[in-house]
Amino acid sequence: MKQSALIQGGASGLGQALVDRALKSGEFERIFVTARNPDRIITGDSRVIPIELDFMSDTLIQEASVKVASHTDRLHLVVTTAGILQDESVGVRPEKKLADLTRSKLEFVFSVNCFGPFLWYAALGSLLRHREPLIVATLSARVASVGDNRLGGWHSYRASKTAQNMLTKNLSLELSRTNPRAVIVGLHPGTVDTDLSKPFQTGVSSNKLFSPEQSAAYLWDVLKNLTPERSGQVIAWDGQTIIP
Ligand SMILES: NC(=O)c1ccc[n+]([C@@H]2O[C@H](COP(=O)([O-])OP(=O)(O)OC[C@H]3O[C@@H](n4cnc5c(N)ncnc54)[C@H](OP(=O)(O)O)[C@@H]3O)[C@@H](O)[C@H]2O)c1
């Protein structure tokens, strides 16, 4: 049976490399690809359905979900890549100390990294509520682990992804009640050479800095080997579970 995939943030970085993987797999008859600017989505393949989506807009979240539902009544793979660490246009930088916190910057980072993905899943509604195999994977980060936090700092980024991980766990429990084949996970992609990491790559050795294609290949392997027992976990590029 041909399936439907939905990749949020598929016009750049890891998201774009994951769209390539999904296309090459031949498993999907359609792949919904979202971006804030849909003109940046590569549409050379007829299976790609481009959709505008900005997590800062409730209207666009609703409209995008309606567009997906106009093509299919169920999704089998849902990957969400949205992540903000730094955005100079709004003065957001990873905080080094508590005094750097402001309400507006916290709200901005949480809106993209945590509220956005889960308001999106709420809007997708019945598209996720079926009894066929389903994977929902949200890009998280190792720095979201409370147990692994030895450096501190990066308050809003870390905390937004930690809260994201809690919602991943909650969604996994909720969907498991009606679909034992649903697998809901967070993913840590490693340190990847994208716009997000560019200002922070000093000191990362070249063998620990993945290209987006390399990380997407690792993550694709992780996705292919998921079992329902792992639902609710955050899983790294090498398949290891990250401690909460
Ligand atoms: N790179 C790393 O080393 C690394 C390490 C750990 C975790 N991660 C996580 O991996 C994910 C992908 O990041 P990346 O490395 O590929 O960085 P990237 O190229 O900067 O991609 C960031 C993604 O976030 C999306 N985004 C930003 N603001 C958004 C908004 N308001 N609404 C919807 N989407 C928004 C962008 O979508 P548009 O294209 O539509 O702008 C883009 O797809 C992120 O969640 C990041 O936290 C990355």
Side-chain angles (χ1 to χ4, degrees):
M1 181 192 56
K2 290 280 187 175
Q3 304 197 328
S4 295
L6 163 60
I7 300 184
Q8 182 279 334
S12 62
L14 268 168
Q16 192 175 58
L18 285 164
V19 171
D20 284 346
R21 279 271 140 192
L23 285 168
K24 282 194 189 109
S25 76
E27 291 168 38
F28 303 100
E29 67 178 344
R30 49 178 98 75
I31 304 175
F32 302 96
V33 180
T34 82
R36 284 179 289 179
N37 177 356
D39 294 342
R40 292 179 55 221
I41 297 168
I42 298 168
T43 52
D45 190 301
S46 63
R47 291 169 293 173
V48 171
I49 302 170
I51 294 181
E52 179 182 5
L53 177 59
D54 185 334
F55 278 165
M56 299 302 280
S57 161
D58 289 344
T59 306
L60 283 177
I61 289 174
Q62 278 308 321
E63 287 176 1
S65 67
V66 169
K67 271 186 202 144
V68 177
S70 71
H71 290 270
T72 185
D73 64 356
R74 68 201 62 192
L75 293 163
H76 301 93
L77 174 67
V78 177
V79 179
T80 301
T81 73
I84 286 286
L85 173 57
Q86 174 158 313
D87 186 339
E88 289 296 344
S89 69
V90 285
V92 166
R93 288 173 208 101
E95 310 88 355
K96 292 192 175 140
K97 52 189 190 308
L98 206 64
D100 296 334
L101 286 182
T102 67
R103 182 182 297 277
S104 64
K105 290 175 195 170
L106 274 165
E107 281 176 353
F108 179 74
V109 175
F110 268 74
S111 286
V112 176
N113 295 0
C114 176
F115 307 159
F118 286 86
L119 291 170
W120 177 225
Y121 300 151
L124 292 174
S126 62
L127 294 167
L128 304 182
R129 289 170 195 280
H130 53 76
R131 289 167 185 268
E132 292 171 15
L134 166 70
I135 293 174
V136 179
T138 314
L139 267 293
S140 183
R142 190 184 293 281
V143 297
S145 164
V146 175
D148 189 54
N149 182 1
R150 283 177 275 273
L151 291 174
W154 291 23
H155 301 310
S156 50
Y157 182 76
R158 280 184 194 272
S160 63
K161 294 280 188 181
T162 309
Q164 183 208 93
N165 292 347
M166 177 59 85
L167 291 173
T168 291
K169 177 71 183 183
N170 273 4
L171 183 63
S172 76
L173 293 169
E174 190 173 319
L175 291 184
S176 71
R177 293 183 191 121
T178 48
N179 184 356
R181 294 194 283 178
V183 190
I184 317 302
V185 293
L187 294 177
H188 168 61
T191 304
V192 189
D193 185 12
T194 61
D195 289 348
L196 181 138
S197 70
K198 281 244 154 47
F200 311 99
Q201 291 176 3
T202 318
V204 181
S205 58
S206 57
N207 62 334
K208 292 207 167 140
L209 182 65
F210 302 147
S211 68
E213 295 71 27
Q214 198 178 356
S215 175
Y218 292 137
L219 293 178
W220 198 257
D221 270 358
V222 170
L223 293 173
K224 291 295 100 189
N225 289 302
L226 282 177
T227 54
E229 295 71 42
R230 302 199 77 182
S231 197
Q233 297 181 358
V234 179
I235 303 171
W237 59 274
D238 59 358
Q240 300 290 315
T241 301
I242 294 182
I243 55 167

